[in-house]
C-alpha cells in the first residue's frame, strides 16, 4: 500500500501571518484531510534548509 506525505512547509512559514491566502486555506484543507487518514497511510514533512524532515502528526494537528 502506498503512503501519502504532505509537505506543509508553506503552512509553517505562513503561520504568523494574520490573514490566510487562498493557497494557505487549500493547503490547510489538505492537511486536515490527511490527519483524518490512518497514520500508516499518510504523514507530513517540511523542508528545513536543504533537507526534507518528517513531522509528527501530533505537531501538525496543533
Amino acid at each position: 500500500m502506498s503512503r501519502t506525505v504532505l509537505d506543509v512547509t508553506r503552512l509553517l512559514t505562513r503561520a504568523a501571518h494574520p490573514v490566510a491566502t487562498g493557497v494557505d486555506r487549500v493547503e490547510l484543507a489538505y492537511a486536515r484531510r490527511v490527519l483524518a487518514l490512518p497514520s500508516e497511510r499518510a504523514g507530513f514533512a517540511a523542508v528545513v534548509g536543504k533537507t526534507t524532515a518528517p513531522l509528527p502528526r501530533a505537531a501538525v494537528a496543533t
Side-chain angles (χ1 to χ4, degrees), residues 1-49:
M1 178 188 320
S2 64
R3 188 166 194 241
T4 299
V5 177
L6 180 64
D7 177 358
V8 292
T9 304
R10 181 178 172 91
L11 282 177
L12 294 174
T13 61
R14 301 270 307 156
H17 289 74
V19 178
T21 67
V23 173
D24 300 336
R25 290 190 300 268
V26 169
E27 188 168 332
L28 183 57
Y30 277 121
R32 287 178 175 149
R33 174 68 176 114
V34 171
L35 281 169
L37 296 173
S39 60
E40 57 274 353
R41 296 242 353 254
F44 297 92
V47 176
V48 179

